[in-house]
Amino acid sequence: MSTKETLESILSFLPFPLWANVSILFAGLLVVCLLIYLIIKLFGRMKKSGEPSILIVGSMNTGKSCLFYQLNEGEFVETQRSMKEQEATFAIHEKFVKDKDTKAQTKKYHFIDWPGSPSLRLRLSDFYPVTEKIVFVVDGTELDDDTFELFYKLLSAQKLKEKKIPFLVALNKSDLIDSPDVKPMEKLFNRELAQLNKTYASTSFTKEQEDETENAITQLLDESEEFLIEKLQNPIKFVKSSTKNGQIDGIIDFILN
Amino acid sequence: MLDKFLIFSFGGRVIFSHKFDCEIEGEPVNELISNILIEDRTGSVKEYVHENYKMKWQIENEFELVFVVVYQRMLQLFYLDKLLELLQENFLNFAREQINKLDNPNKFALSPSFFSLNKLKLPDFRPHFLQILEQVEEYDKRQKVATKMRTFDKTDKYKNTVTAVKDKDGVGKKNKKKKNKNQNDQDEESDSEESNSESNSPSLTKKKKISKSAKRIKKLQERQKSGGRSPKRNLRRRGRGRGGRGGRGSKSKKKIDEKPQKKIKKPMKWDNTLTKSERRELDQGEKLDQMQMKEISKQNSQKLIGDKKLNLDFSASEGEDDDDYWELSNDEEESIDEEEEEEEKEGFKVNLDSLKKKKKSNETKKKKKGKVANFFKGLKGNKELDEETLEPILEKFRDHLISRNVDSEIAQKISDSVLLGLKGKQIGTFQRVVKIVREKIEEVLIKILTPKRVVNILRDIGISKKKKEPYSIVFVGVNGTGKSTSLAKTCYWLLQNNFTVLIAACDTFRSGAVDQLRVHSNVLGVPLFEWGYGKPPANIAQKAIAHAKSNNIDVVLIDTAGRMQDNELQMRALANLIELNKPNFVAFVGEALVGNIGKDQLIKFNQGISDYSKTNKTQLINGIFLTKFDTIDDKVGAALSMTYSSGIPIVFLGVGQQYVDLKKMDVKMISKTLIKN
């Protein structure tokens, strides 16, 4: 009896009889539970996509998917041209972190392997907010315009500049005879980027187009001074690698540090 | 006969590959991926040719796998579609079996990442693959052998001859022997019935009770024999008119004894009082599907309504009651029965008949489940997208695209690719199908509109400048599209980027063309190279470029006369100009207002330039200038039509008549405008 009276007194603010009040209370609790569940689900989805990741990009046929599988499985996997991006969270394969500390051996990273085809490049900018580091894979033996254009585009992205995301240029296919060394490649990159720099000076119509900020390519450095990669906001390193043979030490160091 | 078979995931991992005897030159599969699969052109083509190889493929959206078979271009293999489908089913079953064999099968589940990340190392699929291949090749070989010619007595021609009329008891000379032979062999025999002729002349075929699968095989054979056309069509052509369906049609077994009823012509209903069945009857589209699907698909038309798989439609669809009036001759019946027995005796794992039956039973099972099950399935969280759900949504989008001035054929192709790209995909509970379709369509549009190679004219000019050579841009197009105005705008833009420009007036035909350019050159402060009217434009261009070179001018802008794409003489002149001067960039100037004809113009221009030139390697159109973009509001579909059909990227948009009204192509903006409701 006392419980009934206490309940009545608690729920007296509601105008209905006791049983109606109780049922309303229950219904209210149910709704609140449902809302919490939905929020958690949404939040969970958002959180998943917000994981700091390492982006593997480059132009076509440079060995990005190969690198992705080397990191995961430690061996060379035959690949075809990627049609879609691949993402996975895993720890680097033990083969590469044998002589490093336990943290390196067990820490999991979220890798995103982006296809090299230009048609699929537009959505790449959606992943800039979650990018922590960028591994830019280059075919050392066959450099085309597209490589430099993509590199320039990445460097000029606002979100990557702000956070000073580090870049690693992996000169892949070092197992081939005519693969170049790091120093000459640095100079070549410097030259090509300088040239591209001139072409992206702001002209009349680019000023008007303010809607497309994510994919807009802006001038990196002022034209009047000499273009040097060191002057750019993002730290850039160059290494040689061979994803076919598994010689990716430079890349591993970059990831772990 | 085949060169290579591959199974790979969307992400790029090769899951299974089998190489036949020869080495493959080049990378045909990569080209297939780049040109067809990435661009989502899967709806419009069924096979892809690259150099010496032809490729057929099958996409499995649920697990993000692609099955590709590569073979020599010259061969014509009809069994490949069947082979791909069988391999697809078999491979997935194989994977499932491997999971079930484990101690804890619940640890793994079939999903895209299962294959692409190789979560479970699968044993070699090769023996299964080779076995299936062998079976399919055998089946194909037997098919070709089993068809025999009819004997003379069974043809129509014989029935109309004197001897046939004379034999009123229904048994011809030759058939007497055969009849006796059959009586000894088989027991079942029904009375002789009239076959295809309208007259009372006795026919000679004995009709037997034939199983449905035998009928289907027979149909396949006939189809192959007649080179892909439905045999009914051949029959029709012999002057039966369109009474094929109405006259004999369904349930002919029962009706043949009755007298043919006089068909009274019912008045046509023009208003909205049609019942559903009547409406379906009037829908010629469906009938066309079933009768002429294969022929149409071979001619590469785009009238694919729904996704009826032509080559593999073994399971009986509803309208297949026409084969009732086809009677089989005794010999063919025998051979078919023997075939069936053979197949069952050998006990093949993949019995094609049983596969057909399984398919049919699966389909009927699915249909029985109905809406209630779908509702619960939706709650559970794993809804699978299929044609029925996708088709009405896609139709709405198609109409929407067409209302935005996209070519209707192209809208159809895009919706076909989207259908193929979404079929079989699993979606979660809280996702609406319309939203998914919209996202996919936007993705496809972006892919189509994004240029395959980055076009950076300023950078190329910089390179030419280093080589101390002038960079030449030629403006071509039909009359009135805005070439001279675009030229002036480009000139202004280049001046802003600190390049020196020379304008070459190679439009010597239109009155006032040279004067117009003179005005522009005066206003912009740029030299004009002209030679008056009536002189040959190719020579003027040549001299202009030489002049630019000697005076260290960076860019030469060449204006040409407007011309019709069908006019051979004018196209020849244009090809000549381009061949002689080898410009660095050929810009096609097209109007955004124009609609479907723009696509035609572009393709014919491109073709004309390459056909009428004397060398093999010609400079084709490098980019499109789309003008008068400010006049169209949101009907931006012309951009899509042009890019889709030719693959040439749109470089600039003209948005007004002032010098500053030149914009770079914004892919995201256009695709959003196309989708926006």
Side-chain angles (χ1 to χ4, degrees):
Chain A
M1 283 300 281
S2 57
T3 50
K4 195 178 177 187
E5 280 170 357
T6 45
L7 265 174
E8 263 183 2
S9 55
I10 292 168
L11 298 171
S12 56
F13 65 93
L14 288 168
F16 308 112
L18 182 62
W19 57 269
N21 290 343
V22 174
S23 52
I24 288 174
L25 196 67
F26 267 117
L29 278 172
L30 228 98
V31 169
V32 169
C33 285
L34 198 70
L35 277 172
I36 294 174
Y37 166 71
L38 279 173
I39 289 172
I40 290 177
K41 203 171 179 190
L42 274 171
F43 188 67
R45 214 186 284 165
M46 273 169 58
K47 192 174 182 243
K48 196 179 169 191
S49 62
E51 222 173 305
S53 20
I54 299 177
L55 209 55
I56 305 176
V57 285
S59 31
M60 290 196 282
N61 207 29
T62 49
K64 301 178 290 300
S65 299
C66 202
L67 174 64
F68 183 79
Y69 291 122
Q70 277 283 6
L71 289 168
N72 193 11
E73 296 166 39
E75 57 178 24
F76 173 71
V77 173
E78 201 186 323
T79 54
Q80 293 286 143
R81 196 160 283 179
S82 307
M83 283 164 45
K84 199 178 161 185
E85 70 276 13
Q86 295 192 85
E87 353 178 8
T89 313
F90 50 84
I92 302 176
H93 196 264
E94 52 187 10
K95 179 172 152 187
F96 303 111
V97 287
K98 273 188 295 199
D99 36 347
K100 310 242 195 283
D101 56 352
T102 44
K103 187 188 171 197
Q105 287 177 0
T106 51
K107 184 168 181 197
K108 287 195 177 176
Y109 295 92
H110 186 73
F111 291 95
I112 303 180
D113 168 29
W114 199 266
S117 175
S119 320
L120 299 168
R121 220 169 264 172
L122 214 70
R123 276 185 47 228
L124 179 59
S125 50
D126 296 343
F127 286 82
Y128 290 164
V130 297
T131 309
E132 203 178 42
K133 292 181 188 168
I134 292 190
V135 177
F136 190 82
V137 187
V138 166
D139 182 351
T141 59
E142 212 179 299
L143 284 163
D144 56 348
D145 300 341
D146 188 49
T147 311
F148 299 111
E149 290 274 355
L150 176 61
F151 196 52
Y152 196 92
K153 182 176 168 189
L154 288 169
L155 286 171
S156 66
Q158 275 302 110
K159 293 182 179 153
L160 298 177
K161 267 202 275 194
E162 284 164 11
K163 294 196 271 180
K164 304 212 180 188
I165 303 287
F167 278 69
L168 177 75
V169 179
L171 304 168
N172 206 19
K173 307 203 184 179
S174 61
D175 48 291
L176 297 175
I177 303 170
D178 47 344
S179 106
D181 288 324
V182 173
K183 278 283 177 186
M185 286 304 284
E186 279 193 39
K187 287 189 187 162
L188 177 65
F189 262 79
N190 221 4
R191 274 204 308 271
E192 292 288 335
L193 289 174
Q195 196 162 57
L196 279 176
N197 197 37
K198 283 190 209 154
T199 67
Y200 286 110
S202 53
T203 45
S204 57
F205 52 80
T206 48
K207 270 185 195 157
E208 284 168 19
Q209 278 177 293
E210 280 173 16
D211 38 355
E212 217 210 313
T213 45
E214 293 159 351
N215 284 302
I217 305 179
T218 53
Q219 202 171 33
L220 289 175
L221 296 173
D222 204 339
E223 261 182 76
S224 51
E225 38 183 75
E226 195 192 341
F227 189 97
L228 288 171
I229 290 185
E230 290 85 35
K231 289 189 193 170
L232 295 168
Q233 288 193 330
N234 307 71
I236 303 178
K237 246 171 60 171
F238 286 76
V239 285
K240 281 185 81 162
S241 67
S242 168
T243 49
K244 191 170 184 183
N245 298 344
Q247 291 160 357
I248 52 173
D249 306 313
I251 302 176
I252 303 287
D253 287 330
F254 175 73
I255 297 172
L256 293 174
N257 302 333
Chain B
M1 290 205 273
L2 301 177
D3 280 339
K4 196 171 185 183
F5 174 74
L6 269 184
I7 306 179
F8 59 92
S9 69
F10 280 12
R13 188 203 195 99
V14 171
I15 296 169
F16 171 74
S17 88
H18 183 85
K19 202 169 55 180
F20 294 84
D21 304 321
C22 300
E23 282 289 331
I24 298 255
E25 281 175 24
E27 294 276 343
V29 186
N30 273 343
E31 292 295 319
L32 167 73
I33 298 174
S34 273
N35 293 330
I36 303 286
L37 299 178
I38 287 183
E39 307 254 319
D40 269 315
R41 284 175 192 263
T42 44
S44 45
V45 289
K46 291 293 169 203
E47 52 183 37
Y48 179 69
V49 177
H50 176 71
E51 287 180 10
N52 286 333
Y53 300 105
K54 211 187 262 188
M55 285 161 273
K56 276 203 175 207
W57 64 91
Q58 187 97 340
I59 305 179
E60 169 65 66
N61 283 310
E62 204 180 330
F63 306 115
E64 299 190 348
L65 296 173
V66 184
F67 298 76
V68 178
V69 63
V70 185
Y71 56 105
Q72 290 293 319
R73 178 191 193 161
M74 296 164 288
L75 297 176
Q76 271 210 329
L77 305 168
F78 297 110
Y79 60 83
L80 287 175
D81 293 306
K82 190 192 310 182
L83 175 69
L84 281 171
E85 192 173 285
L86 280 176
L87 283 167
Q88 180 183 333
E89 282 204 44
N90 212 278
F91 182 73
L92 292 175
N93 288 332
F94 172 77
R96 286 194 190 102
E97 268 173 36
Q98 297 304 317
I99 295 180
N100 290 332
K101 276 188 193 170
L102 298 171
D103 297 330
N104 48 346
N106 293 323
K107 191 174 168 194
F108 298 105
L110 274 193
S111 67
S113 54
F114 174 82
F115 292 107
S116 66
L117 295 175
N118 206 26
K119 290 192 174 158
L120 176 66
K121 235 181 171 168
L122 296 169
D124 207 0
F125 183 62
R126 210 166 306 266
H128 295 252
F129 165 71
L130 290 172
Q131 187 184 41
I132 296 177
L133 180 64
E134 208 182 293
Q135 284 170 26
V136 177
E137 283 183 340
E138 273 294 310
Y139 184 76
D140 186 58
K141 247 187 250 174
R142 262 188 274 137
Q143 289 239 307
K144 290 182 184 165
V145 165
T147 53
K148 274 192 197 171
M149 277 177 58
R150 293 181 289 182
T151 55
F152 183 53
D153 342 354
K154 294 183 188 101
T155 59
D156 281 349
K157 208 170 182 185
Y158 179 76
K159 284 172 218 146
N160 294 332
T161 57
V162 181
T163 42
V165 175
K166 273 191 190 169
D167 295 331
K168 282 188 182 171
D169 56 15
V171 179
K173 281 188 203 171
K174 289 184 190 173
N175 255 351
K176 251 187 186 164
K177 291 184 195 169
K178 285 215 170 123
K179 194 179 173 187
N180 294 330
K181 192 176 159 195
N182 285 337
Q183 273 174 338
N184 296 335
D185 288 338
Q186 286 136 359
D187 299 319
E188 290 181 76
E189 260 186 5
S190 53
D191 295 326
S192 65
E193 295 179 48
E194 299 187 8
S195 65
N196 318 318
S197 57
E198 292 91 25
S199 63
N200 284 332
S201 61
S203 76
L204 309 154
T205 54
K206 305 276 179 194
K207 199 164 180 210
K208 253 186 83 173
K209 218 182 184 185
I210 303 143
S211 56
K212 263 198 172 172
S213 49
K215 264 198 214 165
R216 259 179 261 135
I217 292 177
K218 153 85 176 159
K219 242 178 91 180
L220 262 180
Q221 288 168 5
E222 305 251 71
R223 256 194 207 160
Q224 260 199 335
K225 199 171 61 175
S226 53
R229 281 165 154 209
S230 165
K232 294 157 215 154
R233 214 167 170 273
N234 283 334
L235 189 64
R236 250 207 229 148
R237 273 159 142 241
R238 288 186 205 162
R240 292 200 67 224
R242 285 187 78 239
R245 251 178 186 251
R248 288 302 124 171
S250 48
K251 297 145 197 146
S252 58
K253 278 187 205 172
K254 297 172 190 168
K255 274 192 186 164
I256 273 178
D257 299 327
E258 303 168 357
K259 280 189 182 170
Q261 289 169 346
K262 246 192 172 182
K263 251 209 158 184
I264 313 163
K265 190 176 179 182
K266 292 187 197 152
M268 188 79 171
K269 280 192 184 171
W270 292 108
D271 49 13
N272 287 337
T273 59
L274 289 170
T275 60
K276 215 177 185 182
S277 58
E278 283 178 334
R279 201 171 290 201
R280 215 184 304 147
E281 236 189 80
L282 286 175
D283 186 4
Q284 296 297 325
E286 291 240 356
K287 293 181 184 170
L288 215 75
D289 269 351
Q290 290 161 22
M291 294 291 211
Q292 297 171 8
M293 251 320 215
K294 200 152 191 183
E295 193 188 347
I296 291 179
S297 81
K298 276 206 169 178
Q299 293 170 13
N300 245 347
S301 162
Q302 298 93 25
K303 217 175 173 191
L304 285 171
I305 303 165
D307 186 26
K308 309 205 176 186
K309 279 192 221 163
L310 346 151
N311 305 318
L312 297 159
D313 204 3
F314 294 127
S315 54
S317 46
E318 285 88 43
E320 300 253 85
D321 44 8
D322 297 324
D323 44 17
D324 282 14
Y325 67 76
W326 275 107
E327 282 101 23
L328 296 176
S329 69
N330 297 326
D331 290 349
E332 291 165 298
E333 287 164 357
E334 280 180 335
S335 58
I336 286 166
D337 275 345
E338 280 173 24
E339 268 183 68
E340 285 213 292
E341 284 174 352
E342 255 190 85
E343 281 192 303
E344 279 160 48
K345 274 182 200 167
E346 294 185 37
F348 284 152
K349 258 190 216 175
V350 186
N351 188 337
L352 293 156
D353 269 351
S354 69
L355 190 66
K356 293 175 216 161
K357 283 177 198 161
K358 256 190 224 167
K359 254 185 117 186
K360 210 169 110 186
S361 60
N362 279 342
E363 281 178 25
T364 47
K365 270 187 202 166
K366 275 185 190 169
K367 282 177 194 167
K368 278 178 193 169
K369 270 187 185 171
K371 287 183 184 174
V372 181
N374 273 339
F375 176 71
F376 281 115
K377 243 188 172 178
L379 281 183
K380 197 167 69 168
N382 266 339
K383 198 159 51 154
E384 197 180 285
L385 291 173
D386 59 346
E387 259 178 73
E388 291 161 18
T389 36
L390 289 173
E391 187 51 46
I393 303 174
L394 281 176
E395 194 166 324
K396 277 193 193 155
F397 272 108
R398 246 199 324 263
D399 291 334
H400 180 74
L401 284 176
I402 293 176
S403 77
R404 292 269 191 271
N405 204 20
V406 177
D407 199 27
S408 61
E409 282 179 13
I410 289 175
Q412 179 68 49
K413 282 187 195 177
I414 291 176
S415 91
D416 286 340
S417 333
V418 171
L419 182 68
L420 284 171
L422 285 178
K423 209 163 66 151
K425 196 165 173 185
Q426 304 267 357
I427 56 170
T429 11
F430 292 110
Q431 288 176 298
R432 289 174 62 226
V433 186
V434 181
K435 193 173 174 213
I436 293 183
V437 174
R438 169 174 287 153
E439 277 173 12
K440 177 80 181 174
I441 290 189
E442 199 176 332
E443 215 181 278
V444 169
L445 293 178
I446 288 180
K447 276 193 225 170
I448 294 173
L449 291 168
T450 311
K452 279 187 250 180
R453 274 169 289 109
V454 183
V455 177
N456 193 347
I457 298 182
L458 293 174
R459 184 223 160 126
D460 296 335
I461 297 175
I463 295 176
S464 290
K465 200 169 171 180
K466 277 198 183 164
K467 290 190 212 162
K468 306 247 168 104
E469 281 186 18
Y471 188 88
S472 44
I473 306 177
V474 182
F475 291 82
V476 304
V478 301
N479 316 65
T481 49
K483 289 182 290 301
S484 307
T485 315
S486 299
L487 187 146
K489 287 180 190 171
T490 313
C491 184
Y492 181 74
W493 171 60
L494 290 170
L495 287 173
Q496 290 220 305
N497 279 299
N498 302 322
F499 288 114
T500 47
V501 185
L502 173 73
I503 301 181
C506 296
D507 183 358
T508 52
F509 176 70
R510 197 191 89 206
S511 44
V514 181
D515 300 296
Q516 181 182 13
L517 288 176
R518 192 173 294 130
V519 171
H520 283 305
S521 81
N522 285 339
V523 171
L524 295 167
V526 158
L528 172 70
F529 191 94
E530 53 107 344
W531 229 10
Y533 294 91
K535 303 289 197 302
N539 296 351
I540 300 178
Q542 199 176 30
K543 291 199 192 292
I545 294 178
H547 177 85
K549 187 163 183 182
S550 57
N551 290 10
N552 285 330
I553 300 179
D554 303 324
V555 190
V556 181
L557 298 176
I558 303 172
D559 188 20
T560 60
R563 61 201 73 216
M564 292 306 291
Q565 68 270 25
D566 297 320
N567 190 323
E568 193 191 313
L569 214 64
Q570 291 173 342
M571 294 311 295
R572 270 187 200 277
L574 182 63
N576 187 28
L577 186 149
I578 290 177
E579 204 187 333
L580 189 62
N581 299 302
K582 297 194 179 37
N584 301 83
F585 195 91
V586 179
F588 177 83
V589 183
E591 289 177 319
L593 304 159
V594 74
N596 305 342
I597 305 181
K599 175 187 84 162
D600 189 55
Q601 289 171 359
L602 181 56
I603 294 177
K604 290 222 174 109
F605 258 80
N606 221 7
Q607 228 170 27
I609 295 175
S610 84
D611 286 345
Y612 298 129
S613 72
K614 290 166 202 149
T615 55
N616 269 341
K617 282 188 188 174
T618 35
Q619 174 97 24
L620 294 173
I621 298 179
N622 298 101
I624 304 174
F625 264 62
L626 205 56
T627 56
K628 308 181 191 171
F629 211 71
D630 49 327
T631 57
I632 50 173
D633 281 351
D634 53 358
K635 296 202 192 308
V636 298
L640 186 70
S641 308
M642 284 185 163
T643 320
Y644 186 91
S645 50
S646 61
I648 300 173
I650 297 180
V651 184
F652 282 122
L653 302 172
V655 290
Q657 305 204 22
Q658 305 290 327
Y659 287 126
V660 297
D661 293 324
L662 188 69
K663 270 195 181 172
K664 274 201 183 140
M665 172 70 166
D666 187 347
V667 175
K668 251 192 174 167
M669 187 262 285
I670 291 193
S671 61
K672 279 213 160 75
T673 318
L674 277 170
I675 293 272
K676 201 166 51 170
N677 271 340

